[in-house]
Amino acid sequence: MERNTGYHVAVVGATGAVGEQMLKTLDALEFPISQLTLLSSARSAGKKISFKDEEYTVQEAKPESFEGVDIALFSAGGSVSKLLAPEAVKRGAVVVDNTSAFRMDPNVPLVVPEVNENDLHDHNGIIANPNCSTIQMVVALEPIRQAFGLKKVVVSTYQAVSGAGHLAIDELKSQAEAMLKGETVEPKFLPVKADKKHYPIAFNAIPQIDVFQENGFTYEEMKMINETKKIMHMPELKVAATCVRLPVVAGHSESVYIEVEKEGVSTDEVRTLLSQADGVTLEDNPEEQIYPMPLLAEGKPDVFVGRIRKDLDEDRGFHLWVVSDNLLKGAAWNSVQIAWSLVKQDLLTRKN
Amino acid sequence: MERNTGYHVAVVGATGAVGEQMLKTLDALEFPISQLTLLSSARSAGKKISFKDEEYTVQEAKPESFEGVDIALFSAGGSVSKLLAPEAVKRGAVVVDNTSAFRMDPNVPLVVPEVNENDLHDHNGIIANPNCSTIQMVVALEPIRQAFGLKKVVVSTYQAVSGAGHLAIDELKSQAEAMLKGETVEPKFLPVKADKKHYPIAFNAIPQIDVFQENGFTYEEMKMINETKKIMHMPELKVAATCVRLPVVAGHSESVYIEVEKEGVSTDEVRTLLSQADGVTLEDNPEEQIYPMPLLAEGKPDVFVGRIRKDLDEDRGFHLWVVSDNLLKGAAWNSVQIAWSLVKQDLLTRKN
């Protein structure tokens, strides 16, 4: 095969909210594609999707769908990944998996290119894409860790419904419409489709994302805690999270309190550092009311950081406000960045 | 005058969002009223308001409006309080002021009855009602402080628009309506009417409440920090706050991280303590998805606490989720509670 003609890429979950953004991102990042295979559950198979002026018919994902595939981007739920990612690897594909299925597997690198791109060298066919709320936080924290050390993180999240898929977006919009008319609503989807109870999200804040664990934290909170330690290679880092769903369509926000190792660091030093950091856009000018907001972050691949303040009591304490489009850097953009990095570092199974 | 026939009560800012709730609360708490005077700015004077089946005409607030008034509940902005509260005191009234005008004045008690009711004994005519987001937090923290000591508080807020008045509620609703139709919106009010820039609140989260201070914190954040120390009589307490406005009509939520003095405290001990605490309703059963939410707290006077978790790294660290209707316990309800306590403790200037 001629070099550089491109790669056979498969997108699993192509009809979902993240899959949609993956296709946009493959286009935006000019990923070299020789062949594109769009896969989904049996239920969504047959749908038509356009990519670069060509129409594709979505096929049901099966083990044999991955014959000849070089890179498979998975975002169709953990159970699909558990079943089909090994099948894709068996057939020579490298999998970038956007579910939580393999994230904590010690044999699977969990990668945010700005933070731990080198971990890609240890891959065994599967690379895990971290949880959306984790990704944007570690992009903001890694430059600080490198410069000043990092001891402790306490994060409270303000998460958009798009992280829960198209159905959740529709639910927010239809509930908002009904409630504005004074009608009652019957929640069916949020906070977790498969959980026992459902609550309205419009004009509300729900302190539950994903299901509860035995320790009283939600799975989303434990993802942030465990994934942050793994990505930053800091099992000893103190991390705590409270994750909250908001009536916001797209863009997660995070109020992050950190304690660094170094004494005497100033707010301006943190600002300067982040203004030069990979993947970060500093939006921090209180005098001009410049700070990140989800409505402004939607559709952009950057991690926006602002409201940087040194704590008034703790010399090593700092507060940050971190916002990013959870479907982009939090999911699709990071996955395609990983795929590009695999290409550039010549880490695919089949060399093109 | 015969004892117990009631008091001459004045409500300043009677047409506002808080004033409206003050009247409802005076009614709900069966406050003994012999005469009611409803006051406002010149702009709102002349409006008619019903209270207990009687119609009142709102009058423009002037120094002489307070002749004969026993208790004046102020909630018409700091500048009105600064001008007229001393005039009311001069005429023999005791003022319960819901603005920030006198809160940090060392001669003015800043009172949440569940926490520091005794401070009322030191009043000199004016008692300050704390900021809404402060009140609900200290109601939840005081029982913990008493039992286990308190060293550190880091809070991130999720605040409703009703705290910014009727105009902000209207702005949220009209923006949501327009955005659902795909129309563009022109924000005019939030985050701060008098500030330079305005941002949409519908489907957004704005990390600015009140104006920025020189230290990079907003005034709302500094209110939470300074008022908490004053109410709890703990100038040495470490407190940090990040305050965020949400597209929620009523009900502030708070993600609170604390560190207590005592070692070895369990989550269940904190739960038991709060289940018995004055003014607190415990809503904390992860298995049954029971936790506080603003939509459920609206119209109720309690402070709801849930999502209580011991930190996974810090033995003395705990996380709480605290929700309350900011117009009730956060404003009107607390003010009327203070007035009732003044009556019961015989602390009014004119004895009835």
Side-chain angles (χ1 to χ4, degrees):
Chain A
M1 197 190 255
E2 203 186 316
R3 279 184 74 82
N4 293 325
T5 52
Y7 299 87
H8 182 176
V9 174
V11 176
V12 187
T15 60
V18 173
E20 205 173 88
Q21 296 302 324
M22 278 180 170
L23 292 171
K24 281 192 191 163
T25 306
L26 286 166
D27 193 15
L29 288 177
E30 298 181 355
F31 195 85
I33 297 175
S34 59
Q35 191 178 339
L36 182 65
T37 299
L38 302 186
L39 303 168
S40 74
S41 63
R43 193 173 41 82
S44 295
K47 283 194 184 167
K48 309 279 186 193
I49 289 180
S50 291
F51 180 75
K52 284 185 186 284
D53 301 326
E54 218 167 301
E55 200 179 64
Y56 294 81
T57 303
V58 180
Q59 300 159 46
E60 185 185 348
K62 294 178 181 170
E64 51 278 22
S65 312
F66 299 95
E67 295 291 351
V69 167
D70 298 308
I71 300 173
L73 304 172
F74 273 72
S75 191
S79 54
V80 173
S81 291
K82 274 184 191 148
L83 196 71
L84 293 179
E87 298 291 340
V89 173
K90 211 185 285 175
R91 287 164 177 81
V94 173
V95 169
V96 182
D97 180 34
N98 188 42
T99 77
S100 63
F102 302 102
R103 284 181 192 151
M104 296 313 296
D105 185 328
N107 291 314
V108 173
L110 180 68
V111 176
V112 178
E114 291 86 345
V115 180
N116 64 335
E117 191 169 20
N118 281 339
D119 289 356
L120 289 175
H121 289 273
D122 305 325
H123 87 76
N124 298 298
I126 301 177
I127 296 103
N129 191 72
N131 183 43
C132 46
S133 43
T134 311
I135 295 177
Q136 67 184 71
M137 185 169 80
V138 297
V139 168
L141 295 187
E142 176 63 10
I144 297 172
R145 186 196 69 76
Q146 280 182 22
F148 310 125
L150 192 61
K151 281 174 20 181
K152 185 183 175 87
V153 179
V154 179
V155 57
S156 298
T157 72
Y158 301 68
Q159 296 185 226
V161 297
S162 64
H166 282 312
L167 281 172
I169 299 175
D170 294 344
E171 181 163 62
L172 166 59
K173 289 183 176 173
S174 65
Q175 278 178 1
E177 229 171 70
M179 287 167 74
L180 285 168
K181 288 182 200 153
E183 297 168 7
T184 54
V185 299
E186 203 195 312
K188 288 180 187 165
F189 194 73
L190 289 168
V192 179
K193 193 180 173 193
D195 216 337
K196 285 177 274 190
K197 290 177 188 160
H198 300 102
Y199 300 115
I201 185 63
F203 306 108
N204 200 14
I206 306 180
Q208 182 193 353
I209 300 184
D210 218 321
V211 293
F212 280 98
Q213 310 295 289
E214 271 193 16
N215 65 2
F217 286 75
T218 60
Y219 190 39
E220 181 82 358
E221 288 158 359
M222 292 313 299
K223 283 185 255 178
M224 288 197 80
I225 292 168
N226 293 325
E227 294 179 16
T228 299
K229 295 179 189 193
K230 177 168 176 177
I231 298 164
M232 298 184 107
H233 296 279
M234 294 186 79
E236 76 287 4
L237 183 66
K238 295 177 176 181
V239 190
T242 299
C243 292
V244 181
R245 187 77 74 188
L246 295 195
V248 167
V249 176
H252 288 353
S253 309
E254 296 173 347
S255 170
V256 189
Y257 170 70
I258 58 168
E259 288 175 11
V260 300
E261 291 279 358
K262 196 179 168 190
E263 290 180 5
V265 176
S266 72
T267 301
D268 277 343
E269 282 178 274
V270 177
R271 280 206 189 106
T272 305
L273 190 68
L274 288 174
S275 72
Q276 299 158 351
D278 252 18
V280 171
T281 296
L282 186 73
E283 289 188 332
D284 194 15
N285 185 343
E287 211 170 301
E288 294 300 320
Q289 294 176 264
I290 302 293
Y291 36 69
M293 286 183 284
L295 216 52
L296 298 181
E298 196 176 341
K300 296 174 188 158
D302 318 51
V303 173
F304 298 92
V305 185
R307 298 292 334 267
I308 301 169
R309 289 153 290 157
K310 191 177 172 100
D311 192 80
L312 299 174
D313 300 304
E314 296 277 2
D315 173 56
R316 300 191 273 200
F318 287 89
H319 303 268
L320 302 91
W321 177 250
V322 180
V323 179
S324 191
D325 188 326
N326 48 301
L327 295 186
L328 292 179
K329 184 58 186 167
W333 193 272
N334 197 68
S335 291
V336 178
Q337 269 184 310
I338 290 172
W340 244 130
S341 183
L342 290 167
V343 167
K344 287 181 179 160
Q345 296 189 74
D346 204 20
L347 293 171
L348 292 176
T349 313
R350 266 191 290 271
K351 308 304 175 194
N352 202 14
Chain B
M1 198 190 256
E2 203 187 317
R3 279 187 72 84
N4 292 325
T5 52
Y7 299 86
H8 182 176
V9 174
V11 176
V12 187
T15 60
V18 173
E20 205 173 90
Q21 297 302 324
M22 278 180 172
L23 292 170
K24 282 192 193 164
T25 306
L26 286 166
D27 193 15
L29 288 177
E30 298 181 355
F31 196 83
I33 297 174
S34 59
Q35 191 178 338
L36 183 64
T37 299
L38 302 186
L39 304 169
S40 73
S41 63
R43 195 171 40 82
S44 296
K47 283 192 183 167
K48 308 280 185 193
I49 289 180
S50 290
F51 180 74
K52 285 186 186 283
D53 301 326
E54 217 167 301
E55 201 179 63
Y56 294 81
T57 303
V58 180
Q59 299 159 44
E60 185 185 347
K62 293 178 181 171
E64 49 280 20
S65 312
F66 299 95
E67 295 291 351
V69 167
D70 299 308
I71 300 172
L73 305 172
F74 274 72
S75 190
S79 55
V80 173
S81 291
K82 274 184 191 148
L83 195 70
L84 292 179
E87 297 291 341
V89 173
K90 212 186 284 174
R91 287 164 178 83
V94 172
V95 168
V96 182
D97 181 34
N98 188 42
T99 76
S100 63
F102 302 102
R103 284 180 191 151
M104 296 313 296
D105 185 327
N107 292 315
V108 173
L110 181 67
V111 175
V112 178
E114 290 87 346
V115 181
N116 63 334
E117 191 169 20
N118 282 338
D119 289 357
L120 289 175
H121 288 274
D122 305 326
H123 88 74
N124 298 298
I126 301 178
I127 296 102
N129 192 72
N131 182 45
C132 46
S133 44
T134 311
I135 295 177
Q136 67 184 70
M137 185 169 80
V138 296
V139 168
L141 295 187
E142 176 63 11
I144 297 172
R145 185 197 68 76
Q146 280 183 23
F148 310 125
L150 192 61
K151 283 174 19 180
K152 184 184 176 88
V153 180
V154 179
V155 56
S156 297
T157 71
Y158 300 68
Q159 296 184 227
V161 298
S162 64
H166 282 312
L167 280 172
I169 298 175
D170 294 345
E171 180 162 63
L172 166 58
K173 290 183 176 173
S174 64
Q175 278 178 3
E177 231 171 69
M179 287 167 75
L180 286 167
K181 289 183 199 151
E183 296 167 8
T184 54
V185 299
E186 202 195 311
K188 287 179 185 165
F189 195 72
L190 288 168
V192 179
K193 193 181 173 192
D195 216 337
K196 284 176 275 190
K197 290 178 188 160
H198 300 101
Y199 300 115
I201 184 62
F203 307 107
N204 200 14
I206 306 180
Q208 182 193 354
I209 299 185
D210 218 322
V211 292
F212 280 98
Q213 310 296 288
E214 271 193 14
N215 65 1
F217 285 75
T218 60
Y219 190 39
E220 182 83 357
E221 288 158 358
M222 291 313 298
K223 283 186 257 179
M224 288 197 79
I225 291 168
N226 293 325
E227 293 179 18
T228 299
K229 295 179 189 194
K230 178 169 176 176
I231 298 164
M232 299 185 106
H233 296 280
M234 294 185 79
E236 76 287 5
L237 182 66
K238 294 177 177 182
V239 190
T242 299
C243 292
V244 181
R245 187 77 73 188
L246 296 194
V248 167
V249 175
H252 288 353
S253 309
E254 296 174 348
S255 171
V256 189
Y257 170 71
I258 58 168
E259 288 176 11
V260 299
E261 291 278 0
K262 196 179 167 190
E263 290 181 3
V265 176
S266 72
T267 302
D268 277 342
E269 282 178 275
V270 177
R271 279 205 190 108
T272 304
L273 190 69
L274 288 173
S275 71
Q276 298 158 352
D278 253 17
V280 172
T281 295
L282 186 72
E283 290 187 332
D284 193 17
N285 184 344
E287 211 170 301
E288 295 299 321
Q289 293 176 265
I290 302 292
Y291 35 70
M293 286 182 284
L295 215 52
L296 299 181
E298 196 177 340
K300 295 175 189 157
D302 319 50
V303 173
F304 298 91
V305 185
R307 298 290 337 266
I308 302 170
R309 289 153 289 156
K310 191 178 171 99
D311 191 81
L312 300 174
D313 301 302
E314 296 276 2
D315 172 56
R316 300 192 273 199
F318 288 89
H319 303 269
L320 303 92
W321 176 251
V322 181
V323 179
S324 192
D325 188 325
N326 48 302
L327 295 186
L328 292 179
K329 184 57 187 167
W333 192 272
N334 197 68
S335 291
V336 177
Q337 270 185 309
I338 290 172
W340 245 129
S341 184
L342 290 167
V343 167
K344 287 180 179 161
Q345 296 189 74
D346 205 21
L347 292 171
L348 292 177
T349 313
R350 265 190 292 270
K351 309 302 174 192
N352 202 12

